Amino acid sequence: MNYYKFKYRFKQVLIYIIFFAIFFTSFGTNPIGNIAKADPSADFVLRVNMNGKMVPIKSYSVNELEALTQVKQVYSSIDYMPSPNIILAQGVLIKDLLAQANINVSDVQSLKLYSTDGWSHNYSRSYLFGSQRSYYPDIVAKWNKGSANPTASLSDAEKNKSAVEPILALQSYQERFGSEKNWDKLQKNQPISFFFGQTSVNESTYVNFGKFINKMDVILNDDTSLISLDSPKEGQKCESGTPINLSGTAKNVIGVKFHINDPSGKNIFNSQNLTLTNNTFTSSFKLDANAAEGKYNIVFEAENPKNYAAKFNFTVGKENPADNNKNKEPTEDNPPTNRLSTGTGIKGAAADTLTIKVGYYGGPYYVKKVYSLKDLQAFPQVAQTYTFIDNMPAVVLESARGVKLTDLLSNAGIDMNSIEEFHFYCTDVKVGWYQSIPKSYLLDTTRYYYPNLPTHWDDDTGSALSRAADKPVKVNAIIAYEDNWKRFATSPDFTDMQTDTRYRLVFGQTDTSTHNAFKSAKWIHAIEVMLGGKPPAGVTLNQNIANLKVGSTFNLTANVSGGKDSDKRLNWSSSNTDVAKVDENGKVTIVGNGTANITVSTKVGGKTDVCTINTLDKTGSKSLSSAANNKNSNKSTKKNDNKEMSQKSSNAGSSYLTGKDVKSGADEVSESQQEAGDQPWRAYEMSEDASPLQMQKEDESSRICVAVISVLLLLFGSIRRYLKYVKGVTK
């Protein structure tokens, strides 16, 4: 091949190499944030909390999920624009997926879903399953596109709804302003998605939908014992040579077996896998006629969760005196053991004090206030009637006297916009909370007392009659210290108030059909307020000194650090309003001669920065020669204050509240906490309908592309120079 042909071919090959290098490296580049993509065929893992750890109990491939019972459902929602969305979904219902792992929804405290792009979100059971969730088919037709408040026209769409349940969707199709239920549009080979319905047509569930789902954590109400034994009883005396019947309950476990050890520890019997029917099992075994006397252990083991075991005992011959009390009815001194339940079986008692605590999900909770009965009686009082529907179902009429929950939270210095969920602790539950209710359910939803409901109720069908919802009365959620809870009553009765349920959570209804009595917790002694997000790390102004003439205006800009989900709310103030005024947006107006400090502070944590304003006279000179000195003094003071605050924060850490002296009664935990801004645990407007932004992953493909092109160009230049050299030598 001559030189010129070689040169031509070489150029062609090099161009192709560069083109394909650019194409393939940029093909995987996502120009909008480089969000990591998920593998649609990735396994889905179900985990359960065991002894403080998340233990995998079930793993599915996509094919295995498709082999489960498939359900088609339609979902409606409102996205962030806002615009209505219609979602077609086919997949496995969450409750069916839990049932596959032998988990009852009633045993679940919360669920946490993860995706392969870094997103995760926690959902309480009460949020997903506590209220009926529905699809609203008229949401698009009733949407007013031209209105500044398009959701205001949706009241008519509320009437037409269909109940739907949370789903793990293997196929889905989502369309903004969609109106046609065309199941042919379902897209196959899609990543696993998570959808659920709305509790009202205005609810924006869109932000809590998930995609690329590959893992779900199940937090149980109580994970200390998943197997309970009804027969034989703990410590029961049994006779040798006779069959012993075994029966009990196994929840949230798979592949249960048991074996029996004699008093010496020798294994004398091994069972096959027990057959569970509605979480119950029965079996039997027979001891030899000459079986040794003493204590025998029945040890249950599970295939999943691994390493789980539950041990019970019975005796042959003499009964073990030490175990006698285990046959007694549960009392406070003798609580039941080896039992999974939301309570301990202990009778509740009226609480003497009510403690308000605050904290984040998964972290410690700190005491904010402790109230006595006398303290609560000093608050503005509410005497209100409420209607409930219990599980019979029957109507309960509740006459209650107490304090608004919002008044208690405000007095404790907790901002409403920071709250995500409430945990109510009761005296009849010794481990864990009794009831968990999202703020969106308890406080953000308008609730009513229906005076006509008790007299317009059909006991035979267990449903409300027409006109039961007439003339509703709007009511607030209260903490009642005395009440009169009566089933079948038709009129309020405040003459026979009881205090033995103190303190009781009481709230209204949203309709005349939903069963809500089970959520009215009684014997409450503590309320944990779960907050969302995190406090800001600091705030800085775009300038710290300004020399301006009287009558001029300018804008200060504040930058709040600490991440996108930190509280961005600010307070602005002027040290001398005769010199400079500032509005809530940081706009400063110079109104007189002199010096003033404009201070910006975060509403959460009290982080501050200062800008000193010096006014100028008509000649352009400072009206006060000491302005610069004032500024230096202010900056020095500010730096020292910030340094001291930083040192306190780093030394104290999360012990900010624990270091305060908590007083019984209405006294403040700390005088400084009377200020609304001194709340480093508060977060900005995070609630059940908000979620973290999806995690961004850095894409290295663009860097690789640049490196490859650079090497190829260098190689091309070197070869070209060499060819010129060869050409010159040949000539």
Side-chain angles (χ1 to χ4, degrees):
M1 180 182 295
N2 61 38
Y3 166 77
Y4 294 101
K5 285 185 177 181
F6 173 77
K7 180 179 179 181
Y8 175 74
R9 295 294 184 191
F10 175 76
K11 283 184 177 180
Q12 279 188 321
V13 171
L14 189 58
I15 290 172
Y16 283 130
I17 292 174
I18 294 175
F19 172 77
F20 283 112
I22 294 173
F23 176 78
F24 284 113
T25 54
S26 63
F27 183 79
T29 303
N30 186 342
I32 306 176
N34 296 326
I35 298 176
K37 297 298 182 183
D39 178 6
S41 63
D43 287 344
F44 176 82
V45 179
L46 184 66
R47 305 192 306 176
V48 173
N49 60 321
M50 290 292 300
N51 298 322
K53 297 181 180 180
M54 299 309 302
V55 180
I57 65 168
K58 200 79 173 175
S59 179
Y60 298 91
S61 66
V62 172
N63 290 336
E64 289 172 329
L65 287 173
E66 289 175 343
L68 301 178
T69 302
Q70 299 293 293
V71 175
K72 287 183 177 180
Q73 290 192 147
V74 187
Y75 299 85
S76 55
S77 186
I78 299 174
D79 63 20
Y80 50 84
M81 290 195 63
S83 297
N85 281 250
I86 300 297
I87 301 101
L88 307 180
Q90 177 177 314
V92 184
L93 295 181
I94 294 295
K95 69 173 186 179
D96 292 344
L97 192 66
L98 294 173
Q100 284 287 322
N102 199 33
I103 299 175
N104 291 329
V105 171
S106 60
D107 294 327
V108 174
Q109 174 182 327
S110 63
L111 302 175
K112 188 171 185 179
L113 278 82
Y114 301 81
S115 74
T116 56
D117 65 357
W119 173 91
S120 66
H121 192 75
N122 182 71
Y123 307 84
S124 67
R125 181 193 68 200
S126 57
Y127 175 71
L128 287 180
F129 301 100
S131 302
Q132 177 180 305
R133 292 197 168 271
S134 305
Y135 156 58
Y136 293 87
D138 296 335
I139 188 173
V140 174
K142 300 296 183 181
W143 189 270
N144 189 350
K145 291 184 180 180
S147 172
N149 184 17
T151 60
S153 60
L154 293 179
S155 57
D156 292 340
E158 189 79 42
K159 301 174 184 177
N160 185 16
K161 59 184 178 180
S162 302
V164 293
E165 299 186 64
I167 195 172
L168 206 62
L170 307 179
Q171 299 180 39
S172 61
Y173 176 75
Q174 184 170 330
E175 184 178 357
R176 183 175 290 156
F177 290 103
S179 58
E180 183 183 3
K181 288 197 293 186
N182 186 354
W183 292 102
D184 293 335
K185 291 184 178 181
L186 281 180
Q187 298 172 345
K188 297 183 178 180
N189 300 320
Q190 288 288 300
I192 299 173
S193 300
F194 175 65
F195 303 110
F196 53 94
Q198 300 171 281
T199 56
S200 68
V201 72
N202 291 309
E203 183 183 11
S204 178
T205 54
Y206 181 88
V207 293
N208 280 341
F209 292 163
K211 200 173 184 181
F212 307 126
I213 304 298
N214 71 330
K215 184 169 59 180
M216 182 170 73
D217 286 350
V218 182
I219 311 299
L220 301 175
N221 290 327
D222 182 356
D223 64 350
T224 56
S225 178
L226 303 181
I227 297 177
S228 62
L229 190 63
D230 298 326
S231 176
K233 299 288 186 182
E234 276 283 276
Q236 178 179 328
K237 182 179 178 181
C238 300
E239 295 184 12
S240 57
T242 60
I244 298 176
N245 295 320
L246 198 73
S247 64
T249 303
K251 295 182 178 181
N252 313 318
V253 289
I254 298 172
V256 180
K257 298 180 179 180
F258 72 90
H259 64 266
I260 299 174
N261 297 332
D262 67 11
S264 67
K266 181 181 177 182
N267 187 346
I268 61 171
F269 182 86
N270 289 295
S271 76
Q272 301 295 320
N273 277 355
L274 294 175
T275 300
L276 298 180
T277 305
N278 295 327
N279 295 324
T280 62
F281 61 85
T282 59
S283 185
S284 64
F285 59 90
K286 185 177 180 180
L287 295 176
D288 292 339
N290 57 352
E293 291 188 352
K295 182 191 291 184
Y296 287 72
N297 288 322
I298 308 174
V299 181
F300 290 88
E301 295 174 331
E303 179 183 334
N304 271 310
K306 293 181 180 178
N307 302 321
Y308 172 77
K311 184 167 66 173
F312 305 86
N313 67 75
F314 63 94
T315 62
V316 173
K318 265 191 178 181
E319 194 170 341
N320 188 348
D323 296 324
N324 285 346
N325 66 336
K326 294 183 179 178
N327 293 321
K328 298 178 181 178
E329 288 299 314
T331 65
E332 188 166 81
D333 298 323
N334 181 43
T337 58
N338 299 306
R339 189 173 298 275
L340 175 66
S341 66
T342 56
T344 60
I346 299 171
K347 180 175 174 56
D352 295 324
T353 60
L354 179 66
T355 302
I356 308 292
K357 301 179 180 180
V358 292
Y360 294 108
Y361 170 77
Y365 285 78
Y366 304 107
V367 174
K368 276 290 290 176
K369 277 295 189 70
V370 179
Y371 298 100
S372 66
L373 175 59
K374 184 178 180 180
D375 297 328
L376 294 184
Q377 290 173 335
F379 276 83
Q381 299 295 290
V382 176
Q384 178 63 57
T385 307
Y386 299 80
T387 43
F388 288 88
I389 299 176
D390 63 17
N391 291 331
M392 285 190 62
V395 177
V396 175
L397 202 60
E398 164 77 334
S399 304
R401 183 176 288 110
V403 180
K404 289 182 184 179
L405 179 58
T406 52
D407 287 350
L408 283 177
L409 298 172
S410 178
N411 182 264
I414 301 174
D415 180 69
M416 299 301 154
N417 291 327
S418 307
I419 301 170
E420 185 171 335
E421 196 162 355
F422 297 96
H423 302 318
F424 295 92
Y425 287 76
C426 305
T427 59
D428 64 329
V429 181
K430 294 302 180 184
V431 179
W433 42 262
Y434 169 77
Q435 188 67 267
S436 176
I437 304 179
K439 170 181 173 276
S440 58
Y441 178 92
L442 189 58
L443 297 183
D444 297 341
T445 303
T446 303
R447 296 190 171 275
Y448 301 95
Y449 154 55
Y450 293 98
N452 289 352
L453 182 59
T455 57
H456 291 70
W457 181 263
D458 189 331
D459 291 324
D460 294 331
T461 62
S463 60
L465 301 173
S466 61
R467 307 186 67 87
D470 287 359
K471 299 181 180 180
V473 178
K474 186 177 178 181
V475 293
N476 297 295
I478 71 170
I479 299 297
Y481 54 80
E482 60 180 17
D483 70 310
N484 187 355
W485 179 280
K486 282 191 176 181
R487 181 183 289 153
F488 306 125
T490 57
S491 60
D493 183 5
F494 285 88
T495 63
D496 186 23
M497 305 293 277
Q498 306 296 317
T499 61
D500 56 356
T501 60
R502 189 178 66 231
Y503 296 97
R504 185 169 203 148
L505 171 67
V506 188
F507 54 92
Q509 299 174 275
T510 57
D511 54 54
T512 57
S513 60
T514 304
H515 298 190
N516 64 333
F518 70 96
K519 286 184 176 291
S520 177
K522 57 185 177 179
W523 303 312
I524 298 171
H525 65 87
I527 304 174
E528 284 184 350
V529 182
M530 188 178 83
L531 310 175
K534 59 183 180 181
V539 61
T540 55
L541 290 170
N542 59 328
Q543 61 186 95
N544 293 110
I545 190 168
N547 302 316
L548 298 165
K549 293 182 179 180
V550 175
S552 60
T553 62
F554 79 107
N555 291 317
L556 283 173
T557 302
N559 177 44
V560 179
S561 58
K564 292 184 178 180
D565 58 344
S566 61
D567 193 322
K568 299 294 193 299
R569 292 172 299 162
L570 301 170
N571 289 322
W572 296 87
S573 63
S574 171
S575 63
N576 190 346
T577 55
D578 292 332
V579 175
K581 296 181 179 180
V582 61
D583 66 13
E584 67 274 11
N585 298 315
K587 182 180 179 180
V588 180
T589 303
I590 310 303
V591 295
N593 292 321
T595 300
N597 289 330
I598 304 299
T599 303
V600 62
S601 61
T602 60
K603 285 193 175 184
V604 171
K607 308 295 183 182
T608 63
D609 199 6
V610 178
C611 177
T612 298
I613 306 298
N614 299 309
T615 59
L616 302 176
D617 58 23
K618 294 181 179 179
T619 64
S621 303
K622 293 181 182 180
S623 61
L624 290 177
S625 59
S626 61
N629 293 333
N630 289 341
K631 173 59 184 169
N632 292 336
S633 174
N634 289 333
K635 289 191 73 174
S636 175
T637 302
K638 180 192 68 170
K639 289 180 180 178
N640 291 335
D641 290 344
N642 289 340
K643 181 177 180 182
E644 181 180 355
M645 185 181 297
S646 175
Q647 289 174 346
K648 288 181 179 180
S649 176
S650 61
N651 292 337
S654 61
S655 63
Y656 180 89
L657 291 173
T658 57
K660 306 297 180 184
D661 293 331
V662 180
K663 299 179 181 180
S664 175
D667 293 341
E668 301 287 339
V669 176
S670 169
E671 290 182 2
S672 65
Q673 293 180 11
Q674 295 178 20
E675 302 177 11
D678 190 15
Q679 299 182 40
W681 51 84
R682 283 171 46 197
Y684 179 63
E685 296 182 352
M686 295 291 288
S687 64
E688 193 67 54
D689 63 354
S691 64
L693 295 177
Q694 297 201 1
M695 185 178 291
Q696 309 289 311
K697 290 191 177 181
E698 187 175 358
D699 189 357
E700 298 289 342
S701 58
S702 58
R703 297 184 181 181
I704 297 173
C705 175
V706 172
V708 170
I709 293 174
S710 300
V711 172
L712 291 175
L713 290 176
L714 179 62
L715 182 62
F716 173 73
S718 301
I719 295 177
R720 185 178 180 186
R721 298 288 295 179
Y722 175 73
L723 291 176
K724 284 184 177 182
Y725 169 75
V726 172
K727 181 179 178 182
V729 172
T730 304
K731 288 182 177 181

